[in-house]
Amino acid sequence: MAAAIAALNAKIRSRPVLSYFCSTHFWGPASNFGIPVAAVLDTQKDPEIISGKMTAALCVYSLVFMRYSMAVTPKNYLLFGCHFVNEGAQLTQGWRYYQWWHNGGREKAQAEKAAEEAKNPVKAVIAATST
């Protein structure tokens, strides 16, 4: 049985594309792509739920691993791409966090909500009593 597995492994490793597809250079970044996908999807959510500390930590994390992906041999461009996308998404989230908490975004949203409620007081009363 061990000889059969060794023969199958040798056959897979003899083909460069299959060898890459069966390596951690492929599956590590492929499984890691969940982080940037989630970050990109989070850019559509309310900025009030953004954690500034977590966003900063993920920015540093992605920068470190972008550097690491170019330092290993062979260079891992898939890992670089994964963290490049994540860095962009985290910088977007960081900007949204800053705008919301430090640049008047929250106050502007509250003022708009108050103005909307003042326009339609019946709807505001119904919303307040239903919750």
Side-chain angles (χ1 to χ4, degrees):
M1 183 67 170
I5 292 172
L8 179 63
N9 189 31
K11 185 172 183 159
I12 288 172
R13 298 297 175 181
S14 68
R15 296 181 181 159
V17 173
L18 277 177
S19 179
Y20 176 71
F21 186 71
C22 293
S23 73
T24 56
H25 270 266
F26 174 77
W27 287 107
S31 62
N32 201 27
F33 253 106
I35 295 170
V37 167
V40 169
L41 292 175
D42 282 349
T43 61
Q44 304 304 312
K45 294 183 180 175
D46 187 12
E48 190 164 7
I49 64 172
I50 298 170
S51 167
K53 291 179 183 179
M54 189 65 186
T55 299
L58 284 169
C59 280
V60 172
Y61 162 79
S62 284
L63 285 173
V64 167
F65 275 91
M66 281 194 318
R67 172 67 181 106
Y68 170 79
S69 69
M70 294 293 108
V72 297
T73 305
K75 293 184 185 329
N76 195 334
Y77 295 107
L78 189 57
L79 184 64
F80 182 85
C82 170
H83 287 289
F84 182 80
V85 170
N86 191 40
E87 185 68 24
Q90 295 304 327
L91 289 173
T92 300
Q93 290 292 77
W95 176 251
R96 292 179 68 225
Y97 175 85
Y98 176 77
Q99 288 292 97
W100 184 258
W101 291 106
H102 301 291
N103 208 16
R106 184 170 186 235
E107 292 78 17
K108 183 179 176 186
Q110 288 172 341
E112 287 174 0
K113 184 178 177 184
E116 184 65 34
E117 288 176 356
K119 279 186 194 176
N120 199 344
V122 175
K123 201 182 252 186
V125 170
I126 293 170
T129 58
S130 66
T131 55

